[in-house]
Amino acid sequence: MTDPAERNDRELLAAHCAGDPDAFGELFRRHKDRMWAVALRTTRDPELAADAVQDGFISAFRRADSFRGDAQVTTWLHRIIVNACLDRLRRIKPTSELPEYDLADRHDVHGSTVVRLDVQEALGKIPEGQRLALTLVDMQGLPVSEAAQVLGVAEGTIKSRCARGRAALAELLRDKHGDGYAPAVED
C-alpha cells in the first residue's frame, strides 16, 4: 500500500471512498490550517471557526463520494468549510462584535499587527458577500474562478464584490486613519 503522504489530494479522496482508513486523515492534515484560516476570517470568532471546521471536515468525510472531480479537492473543501461557517453564523444573532484591543498599553505590538487588526475590524463592517470574496481571493490567494466555485456565484460577481469590498475597506481605513493611511503590504 502506498504511503498516504505520497498521494495527491484526488488519489487520497478516491482511496478514502474505497475504504482506506488513513487517506482522509492525510487530507485533513494537509488542509486543516488553511481551512481554519478561511473559517476564522469568515466567522471572525475562534470558537465558531473551530466548530465550522469540525462540521466541515465531518461533512467532507461523510460526503466524499459527492466530489465530482470538476474542481480541485481544495476548492471542494473550501466550499464545504465556507458553507459550514455560514450555517454557524445563521444560527447566532447577527450582532457579533470584534473584541476590543487596548493597543496603547502594549509595547510589543508590531505595526503589522495593528494593520491586521484594523483590516479585521474593517472586514467586519462590509457586507458578507464582499468579505467572503476578499477573504478567498486576497487573503487565501484563490483564483477568481475557484472563489466563484466555492461561493457558488459567477466569476464576474466575485470580481465586482472584490472591487466593492476593496473600495469599502479603503474608505473605512481612511476614515479611521486619515487620508495618509497606507498600510504596508506584507508577503
Side-chain angles (χ1 to χ4, degrees):
M1 182 183 285
T2 307
D3 180 13
E6 296 175 6
R7 294 186 258 177
N8 69 37
D9 290 347
R10 286 178 188 267
E11 292 170 338
L12 286 170
L13 201 56
H16 167 67
C17 290
D20 183 332
D22 300 320
F24 197 84
E26 177 62 20
L27 277 173
F28 175 77
R29 186 194 62 72
R30 283 181 191 175
H31 301 295
K32 67 180 174 160
D33 292 339
R34 187 171 185 184
M35 296 305 134
W36 162 254
V38 168
L40 187 58
R41 286 193 175 110
T42 302
T43 64
R44 300 178 322 270
D45 179 298
E47 287 184 38
L48 278 178
D51 290 343
V53 169
Q54 180 177 324
D55 292 350
F57 272 106
I58 289 170
S59 179
F61 181 89
R62 291 178 178 160
R63 299 181 330 155
D65 59 344
S66 72
F67 177 71
R68 295 186 310 250
D70 50 351
Q72 292 184 21
V73 173
T74 53
T75 302
W76 178 73
L77 285 172
H78 269 96
R79 182 176 188 109
I80 291 171
I81 297 298
V82 167
N83 285 339
C85 289
L86 296 176
D87 288 345
R88 286 272 172 184
L89 287 169
R90 285 182 193 114
R91 292 185 218 156
I92 62 170
K93 292 181 182 180
T95 57
S96 65
E97 292 293 324
L98 291 170
E100 291 295 322
Y101 294 94
D102 186 4
L103 297 178
D105 295 334
R106 300 230 7 182
H107 300 290
D108 60 333
V109 174
H110 185 273
S112 65
T113 302
V114 175
V115 170
R116 279 190 215 119
L117 292 173
D118 290 345
V119 170
Q120 180 184 10
E121 181 181 22
L123 275 171
K125 294 178 180 178
I126 65 174
E128 181 180 86
Q130 292 174 11
R131 183 177 65 251
L132 291 174
L134 286 174
T135 297
L136 293 174
V137 174
D138 290 350
M139 296 177 180
Q140 293 298 315
L142 257 63
V144 169
S145 59
E146 284 189 39
Q149 288 178 336
V150 167
L151 297 176
V153 298
E155 288 182 34
T157 302
I158 294 295
K159 291 176 184 177
S160 65
R161 286 179 181 176
C162 284
R164 281 191 233 116
R166 289 181 195 117
L169 284 178
E171 186 64 31
L172 288 166
L173 292 171
R174 231 183 332 270
D175 287 348
K176 184 170 186 167
H177 297 279
D179 289 334
Y181 184 68
V185 178
E186 295 184 2
D187 290 329

